Amino acid sequence: SKSGIGMLLNPHRLYNMHFHSMSVSLDSVPDPAGSGKPVLRYRQLLSVVLDPLAFGLRNSSWSLSELMDRRLGAACPVASRSTIRVVAPDVGLHITPKPDSASKVAGHLVHTFDMQKRNVEDIAFTFEPDAGSAHKSTLPAVAAYRYVTGHGGSSGGVESSIVNRHAVPITVKYLDTLPWYLRVYSHTLVISSVPEGAPSVVLRPTRAIFTPAIDRGRPSSMELELELPPNSRTILRYDFDKGFLRYTEHPPDANRGFNIAPAVVSYNLSTADSTDDQPLFCTANAALLQKSKECTVHVYTELFLASLPTPDFSMPYNVVSISCTILALFFGRVFNLLTRDFVVLNKEQAHQ
Amino acid sequence: MPPNTQQGRPPKQAEDSAVQPTQTEATRLAYVLMVGSTVRLLAFVIFPSLISTYLSGRVELSTPVTSYKRLVEGLHLSAHAVSPYDGGVFHQSPLLLLLFKPLYYLPSIFTDLLYTVADAFVALMLAKLAALKANSASQVSFLGETRFVCMPSVVAMLYLFNPLTLGTTLVKSTIVFSHLAVVGSLYFGLQGRTNRAVACAAVAAHLSLYPAMLIAPISLMADGCQRRCGSIVATVAKFTMAVGLLHVLFVAMFGSEYFGATIDFTVRVADLQPNVGLFWYFFTEVFDEFRLFYFVVFQLTALGFAVPVSWRFRQDPLFAATFLVGIISALKSYPAWGDLALFLGLLPLFEELLKYLQFMFLSANLLIYGIALAPVFWYLWIEQGSGNANFFYAATLVYVFGQITLLFDLGTAKLRRDLDIQRPEMRTRTVIQE
């Protein structure tokens, strides 16, 4: 039996969506209990964009049970906190039943239902006729793209571009990890920034940590702290060489290639600023945790496929036997050369 | 020392007068060295983009243990306080790190100059080896033999203008320094300066592992020189001490992980980047259970012939050394065309064996086919994607087989000539080996 958020997760509805993203993150944070020691924090996040029209509901009024085809139940007994937070525009939305509390965060109104205090079975939303156009979405402050350059199967390059849409400089941390078989040349890293309407300047990272890969051991990682100029596009570029894997290390469909994990660009947002481009989770978190005024936003680039040159998989026996034949030819000939003496062919000479 | 001061210094000569006037020969050598250096410097300065587009990425010329790009990466890492040997792409000797550290901060023309001078020195040493050999007491010939004495300038020219050598220098492969140490050790050994020879051999062993085999002919040279320059045991002991000293020095400077990243890396063929040898495809395809067995077999075959070859050709240690250089070129774990270039550079010293070679046409053809087809098949496999790895593998097989044929032929020629000198009446007879 399920309780808490698990009751709402209906795959038939969730996967009939416009967008979804699942993430698991593990990081080390200062102990929220205040003991001063760092603790590991494990987070699971599921982001889904659902359209009520896809399920035959009217846009102006629908309820959570109609959308998800599930009713809410009791809060999870092992949870220390179980809440439903609704980020809503200031006016134009009626929520039934009435939420427990409402707080204003950065220009949005956040309504909170505390599931541990009361048992809510269903939440209904009704929009006033002219309220739909109130909320406009703006692009986030930082966007990041990454793609692979170069041609051929022996080497290539990675080019990342980070866009700062704000009129103020933003400090971002760029983390890029590449598996060991893409051998990164850190000396080829070039960072340049193109502010709007100005020529490009070379940007130097304020901090840089590069950990080279160990073959079949660890991936290489590059962490840079960059100060992005306002209204600019920053381009990072570096080269890599493609490694050659052993016969057994190639995946079953070897010519597909390997998915290379995206790079992560993180920056801190202060939730006190009432900017339109604050991500929803920042707003929702700020309503709950009154003490943290900062929210870390992670922007993920695209991943790319690296196709490594493959050996011929049908030939292990042939290769071993042919190479050993050449080696045996060498050994046999040189061994004969070293150990045998010359004898004249003419038999009469031997008798004399 | 720049080559154009050679005009005042004739090549080393024994007391007896030579057949050809020494001053003309020295001048010719100086010209050859100057032209060779000029060609290289011009290529570096005028065609850097052509070199980086067409030559620098060639796996036939640069290997994971000799690549210049990886050297720059190692320098960059060590300049930023990251250990270059802790993973990463750098697998070259700390000697090269120390040599190139000042050059990292200077403009690139100094690196080009360094490579040009190193190549010129190798050619100079080869020329001096030729002069030494021509005048040494062990040079015998028999009655009626027509000899074309290979002049030092010709030896230098054949080395400097060999396209393989030129290609190796233009991609700045660090095998050039290993060649320098190898040829230096042979030169000093033949001169009788055992200590310098042992030092050069120790440096060569640290730069690329396989020249350690050359201690066998060098100790024979020391044993056989007129002034009893040192016994075999003493030479081997000095060599072991020199290698150990360098090892201790490097562990102190870079930590013990340098050994796993350099020498151990070469031995266990950790990086499977294709090259012109046998090992890469073999170790790509072999199953993991047999990996240890096969790399022991391969390394033993490559390294195990040091003592037998030196013993068989103990009357002519320089020939034994050439033979071992040929074995290194064919069977080392990361060979390149540069290794063949050194072997082909040492061959003209033995031009008296030219007429005894039976398979010259075969080995020349095999080598030319192997060298010409390897880049074509690489392009088909990697760039175009229409060929597969077997094409390139076949080209490398042909190349290695050509080297083996040349080696075997050379050895037979040497033994036959020795027999002809020993028993001149057998010259016209057919002999077989039994």
Side-chain angles (χ1 to χ4, degrees), chain A residues 101-124:
Chain A
S101 63
S103 54
K104 203 163 168 57
V105 176
H108 297 279
L109 207 58
V110 180
H111 305 270
T112 311
F113 291 86
D114 193 336
M115 300 302 290
Q116 286 174 327
K117 290 202 184 116
R118 72 189 219 196
N119 213 344
V120 178
E121 281 213 349
D122 192 10
I123 304 178

Side-chain angles (χ1 to χ4, degrees), chain B residues 380-393:
Chain B
L380 278 181
W381 173 31
I382 298 286
E383 303 284 331
Q384 193 151 318
S386 59
N388 63 15
N390 297 332
F391 291 44
F392 186 72
Y393 171 61

Side-chain angles (χ1 to χ4, degrees), chain B residues 166-186:
Chain B
L166 209 54
T168 309
T169 313
L170 290 179
V171 299
K172 300 199 189 125
S173 164
T174 57
I175 200 70
V176 171
F177 302 103
S178 173
H179 290 343
L180 186 59
V182 163
V183 179
S185 71
L186 292 180

Side-chain angles (χ1 to χ4, degrees), chain B residues 90-111:
Chain B
F90 182 65
H91 298 289
Q92 302 180 36
S93 169
L95 281 170
L96 292 167
L97 260 188
L98 293 172
L99 173 66
F100 277 86
K101 252 204 172 101
L103 292 171
Y104 180 64
Y105 302 102
L106 294 171
S108 67
I109 187 69
F110 287 94
T111 320

